[in-house]
Amino acid sequence: MLYYLRHLLAFIFAIQEINSRGDILPNITLGYILYDSCEAERRALQNTLCVISGREIMTPNYNCYQKGQLVGIVGHQQSSLSVSMASVTRIYKYPQLNYYLKKIHVLTPGKEEIYFNRDGHFLSKFDVLNFIVLENKSTQTNTVGYYRETNDGFQSQINNSAIRWNPIFFQVPPESTCSKSCLLGYQRIPMKGQHKCCYSCLTCPEGQISNATDMEKCMTCPEDKFSNQERTACIPRATEFLSHGDALGISLIVISLVFCFLTAVILGIFVKYKDTAIVKANNRNLSFILLLSLMLSFLCPLLFIGRPSKLSCLLRQVAFGNIFTVAVSSVLAKTVTVVLAFRATKPDRTIRKWLWKNLTTYLLLVSSFGEIVICIFWLINSPPFPEHNTQVAFDKIILQCNEGSSIAFYIVFVYIGFLAMFSFIVAFLARKLPDTFNEAQYITFSMLVFCSAWISFIPAYLSTKGKYMVAVEVFAILSSSAGLLGCIFIPKCYIILMRPELNIKSKIIFVVK
């Protein structure tokens, strides 16, 4: 009841204030008629018709006002009653006066602001009084703050220094809310079905903080920072990438350089003994090309290690893809040469010359050219670029290369895998050819190691993040390259250096001179 009385008095006061001031509605005096609907729609409709006709007994379609005219009707606090009233006032073209009330903003003689909110409701304000019982049993009141309603909620202000506490409280103020204050690092969560002053305190989620008590919502940290464990401050994120100073990065660099040096030694051995039977067998030119491509393959990981840059991101996958394609194409050409040489029965001199020299060259060029075309389209349409990944870990910024087009990235690997599988199948079919030193057997095993390394690489690559994802790819490059080097060239080096008696023409069936 006091709730409606408060709004009623505010309404009457607003009308009186408007009439007493000439700057709001000059030369116009407002009057009002008040009816109680008793929260019943029937009474609300009946009273609405009484207001429109100007009589206490409703007379539809009659206007009995002798002085002044009706300009608007104020609805009920309940929306259901206001809607029913609006269905009648709409017929007679009378508005809801709420839309006028929300524009009123006046000052009382005591310089206190009186205004209505956006919905036309009076915004209440209460003074907080300190009751003091004196020694003579009389009381004294002291205003120590206020509590008021605003468009955005409620505001309160208390002057603690002006409060005089009863000694029984031991100078500790009594609780004025049903919940304790939320400390730093927490946010207020309203309780459903409870008063607005009742809430629970919830820890700020990762990446957000609250640096004041009773915050209604935590603040989000910038992308280059994350929240500390207490959720009270934003601290800088650490950057992570596979660096040259990292133990993992140093280990991979050492392994790459050792294998590159070993490949260079084997290439030197083959150059020195290039006229021996074991080197001349199975096309020594392809062996030189394969060794050179393996040397470059062992150097490719150097592009993956270090802070990603625009140049390194552009080069590393493209360089690796083309170098590996040349290596696998060389193995494929060696395999096809072995098979065709043994399958060709009694070929004439012209066919043998074309078969042994031109076929391997064409096969190597065509296979390598396919990868070049794929990489060109990749770099033109969606080239790789460096990026700062803030989604992997909340406390780190991952510096990595975005491959641009994931489809092109996987096509590069699929193309290499296709050449490797084709080489494996051809070498497997030729593994029992009548060759004293049958290179097809070693190629079969090398392709088996190569394919196993890259098949195991795919799930490991997809399940890791950050610098370990790069390390997995580097390890796959090193292991597959080492497999080709060890399976194809170590047995030949063993014969050249340790069993020279086998490195003669009578002991080896030549396939290609």
Side-chain angles (χ1 to χ4, degrees):
M1 192 65 173
L2 292 176
Y3 175 78
Y4 293 112
L5 178 60
R6 185 182 65 186
H7 284 78
L8 175 61
L9 294 177
F11 174 80
I12 296 174
F13 174 80
I15 297 297
Q16 292 176 350
E17 188 69 17
I18 292 171
N19 291 335
S20 63
R21 291 178 54 172
D23 58 333
I24 300 179
L25 295 175
N27 301 323
I28 295 177
T29 301
L30 294 180
Y32 55 86
I33 302 174
L34 300 174
Y35 284 92
D36 185 7
S37 64
C38 299
E39 298 186 356
E41 292 189 19
R42 181 183 63 82
R43 290 287 298 274
L45 292 173
Q46 179 180 348
N47 294 338
T48 302
L49 290 173
C50 291
V51 171
I52 293 174
S53 61
R55 299 182 61 183
E56 293 186 1
I57 300 176
M58 64 174 184
T59 307
N61 301 323
Y62 281 86
N63 188 339
C64 300
Y65 285 101
Q66 296 179 355
K67 295 182 179 181
Q69 62 181 18
L70 182 65
V71 294
I73 298 177
V74 180
H76 197 274
Q77 290 291 319
Q78 294 185 8
S79 59
S80 59
L81 300 185
S82 296
V83 171
S84 300
M85 294 170 61
S87 64
V88 176
T89 59
R90 188 183 303 112
I91 299 174
Y92 296 96
K93 309 299 182 181
Y94 289 113
Q96 296 281 332
L97 196 56
N98 300 56
Y99 301 106
Y100 296 96
L101 288 177
K102 66 182 179 180
K103 299 179 180 179
I104 296 176
H105 195 284
V106 297
L107 286 175
T108 66
K111 304 300 182 182
E112 183 180 4
E113 289 184 313
I114 299 294
Y115 61 95
F116 297 83
N117 65 4
R118 63 177 69 93
D119 298 320
H121 299 310
F122 172 69
L123 301 180
S124 59
K125 178 180 179 181
F126 302 94
D127 288 334
V128 179
L129 302 179
N130 180 203
F131 283 85
I132 304 170
V133 181
L134 303 177
E135 294 180 357
N136 58 4
K137 304 301 180 181
S138 62
T139 60
Q140 176 184 338
T141 59
N142 204 10
T143 303
V144 295
Y146 64 84
Y147 178 84
R148 69 182 180 185
E149 185 181 7
T150 66
N151 287 325
D152 299 323
F154 295 91
Q155 287 184 349
S156 62
Q157 183 175 346
I158 303 293
N159 184 6
N160 290 323
S161 61
I163 301 176
R164 292 177 58 183
W165 295 102
N166 192 305
I168 65 174
F169 290 125
F170 301 101
Q171 307 301 318
V172 178
E175 293 287 343
S176 61
T177 63
C178 62
S179 303
K180 293 184 178 180
S181 295
C182 293
L183 303 177
L184 276 66
Y186 293 83
Q187 61 180 340
R188 290 167 47 170
I189 304 298
M191 294 182 178
K192 293 183 178 180
Q194 299 290 331
H195 195 270
K196 291 185 177 180
C197 65
C198 298
Y199 50 83
S200 60
C201 299
L202 184 65
T203 305
C204 293
E206 291 181 352
Q208 297 184 7
I209 65 165
S210 67
N211 54 7
T213 57
D214 287 333
M215 288 191 64
E216 295 185 357
K217 189 176 182 181
C218 297
M219 299 184 300
T220 303
C221 293
E223 283 196 355
D224 59 340
K225 295 182 179 181
F226 73 104
S227 56
N228 59 355
Q229 188 173 2
E230 295 79 17
R231 306 290 193 269
T232 57
C234 294
I235 57 179
R237 289 187 178 188
T239 56
E240 180 183 277
F241 60 94
L242 188 59
S243 66
H244 299 93
D246 192 3
L248 180 59
I250 293 175
S251 301
L252 295 175
I253 291 175
V254 171
I255 295 174
S256 299
L257 295 178
V258 168
F259 274 106
C260 182
F261 176 75
L262 180 61
T263 308
V265 171
I266 295 175
L267 178 60
I269 293 174
F270 268 62
V271 171
K272 182 178 180 180
Y273 296 95
K274 66 179 183 298
D275 294 324
T276 61
I278 193 67
V279 176
K280 294 171 65 176
N282 302 103
N283 199 320
R284 60 185 173 187
N285 292 331
L286 287 177
S287 297
F288 293 152
I289 295 175
L290 179 56
L291 285 170
L292 287 173
S293 61
L294 288 177
M295 284 182 61
L296 295 177
S297 296
F298 287 121
L299 293 177
C300 276
L302 301 181
L303 294 173
F304 290 78
I305 302 173
R307 178 182 289 269
S309 63
K310 186 175 182 179
L311 182 61
S312 63
C313 290
L314 283 173
L315 290 180
R316 67 182 194 178
Q317 299 293 357
V318 173
F320 152 73
N322 284 280
I323 292 171
F324 247 59
T325 300
V326 173
V328 177
S329 298
S330 301
V331 175
L332 176 61
K334 288 170 70 68
T335 309
V336 172
T337 301
V338 171
V339 174
L340 292 181
F342 277 101
R343 294 302 182 189
T345 57
K346 297 180 182 181
D348 57 29
R349 187 172 299 177
T350 303
I351 296 178
R352 288 177 61 90
K353 183 178 180 180
W354 181 89
L355 176 67
W356 291 343
K357 292 186 179 180
N358 296 332
L359 179 61
T360 55
T361 303
Y362 292 152
L363 187 59
L364 178 63
L365 292 177
V366 171
S367 300
S368 302
F369 183 73
E371 190 72 73
I372 293 174
V373 172
I374 295 173
C375 292
I376 289 176
F377 276 102
W378 185 8
L379 294 179
I380 291 176
N381 294 323
S382 184
F385 58 91
E387 70 171 358
H388 293 186
N389 191 335
T390 60
Q391 306 301 321
V392 174
F394 71 93
D395 59 341
K396 296 178 182 178
I397 298 178
I398 307 298
L399 305 185
Q400 63 184 22
C401 288
N402 188 312
E403 305 305 344
S405 173
S406 57
I407 296 177
F409 172 74
Y410 288 113
I411 289 178
V412 168
F413 282 90
V414 169
Y415 186 80
I416 297 174
F418 170 76
L419 295 178
M421 288 299 299
F422 188 66
S423 299
F424 172 77
I425 294 173
V426 175
F428 180 79
L429 296 176
R431 70 190 186 282
K432 295 184 179 180
L433 290 177
D435 188 359
T436 303
F437 187 79
N438 190 354
E439 193 175 29
Q441 295 179 356
Y442 299 105
I443 292 176
T444 302
F445 191 68
S446 68
M447 287 293 101
L448 184 62
V449 173
F450 181 90
C451 295
S452 299
W454 285 104
I455 290 175
S456 60
F457 154 78
I458 295 174
Y461 182 81
L462 296 177
S463 61
T464 54
K465 302 294 182 182
K467 66 178 182 180
Y468 299 103
M469 176 184 288
V470 181
V472 167
E473 185 173 357
V474 170
F475 181 79
I477 294 173
L478 294 177
S479 58
S480 57
S481 300
L484 292 178
L485 181 67
C487 295
I488 295 178
F489 293 101
I490 295 300
K492 295 181 180 180
C493 290
Y494 173 77
I495 293 178
I496 293 174
L497 299 177
M498 307 301 296
R499 301 293 300 273
E501 69 276 8
L502 299 179
N503 191 9
I504 56 177
K505 184 176 180 180
S506 59
K507 297 291 184 179
I508 297 177
I509 299 176
F510 283 89
V511 176
V512 177
K513 291 186 179 179

